[in-house]
Amino acid sequence: MTMYVYSTDGDPVGFVYETNIYDLEGIPLGRIVGCRVHRFDGTYVGEWFRDMVVRRPQGRPRIIPAVPAPPRRPPAGASYRLRAVVDYGYADAFPLLRQGAGQDGYLSQAAE
């Protein structure tokens, strides 16, 4: 069964495989380390919170060592909108995973 990543609006935007986060097309975007979410170049993006990637004021951002991006995964199957959306007051950080991505979705060497 696929573990989906949702936007703060409740829409599925990606999925998790092992500790890596992919978009719905299977392009690797980042990884979860504890409760922190980082791009593969090691830059901090946000926090993993209730199946979402969010910006939390109490988050502890830090840069970690870069790792190679894993291979693409098959696209995720169709999903449904998340249960009734609760506004926890955190901004959606999932789009930040795409910043610095090359044409194929992988981070380019020149990014950041």
Side-chain angles (χ1 to χ4, degrees):
M1 175 167 227
T2 302
M3 181 175 165
Y4 288 94
V5 178
Y6 293 92
S7 70
T8 55
D9 293 331
D11 295 315
V13 291
F15 64 95
V16 175
Y17 181 77
E18 295 175 343
T19 59
N20 298 315
I21 297 176
Y22 297 80
D23 69 8
L24 293 173
E25 298 301 314
I27 296 171
L29 299 175
R31 61 189 174 134
I32 303 170
V33 179
C35 64
R36 295 179 188 94
V37 177
H38 297 266
R39 293 186 202 116
F40 294 110
D41 68 357
T43 56
Y44 173 83
V45 172
E47 301 286 316
W48 181 248
F49 178 76
R50 299 188 184 258
D51 299 331
M52 300 177 289
V53 180
V54 298
R55 300 291 285 187
R56 292 176 69 185
Q58 64 269 40
R60 296 171 291 151
R62 65 178 182 180
I63 296 174
I64 61 174
V67 296
R72 286 182 75 141
R73 304 277 318 153
S79 179
Y80 53 89
R81 233 177 113 72
L82 190 61
R83 66 202 173 279
V85 177
V86 175
D87 183 3
Y88 294 101
Y90 302 133
D92 194 345
F94 187 85
L96 299 175
L97 284 169
R98 292 188 179 280
Q99 289 182 356
Q103 278 184 295
D104 60 357
Y106 290 89
L107 289 171
S108 62
Q109 296 297 324
E112 297 188 46

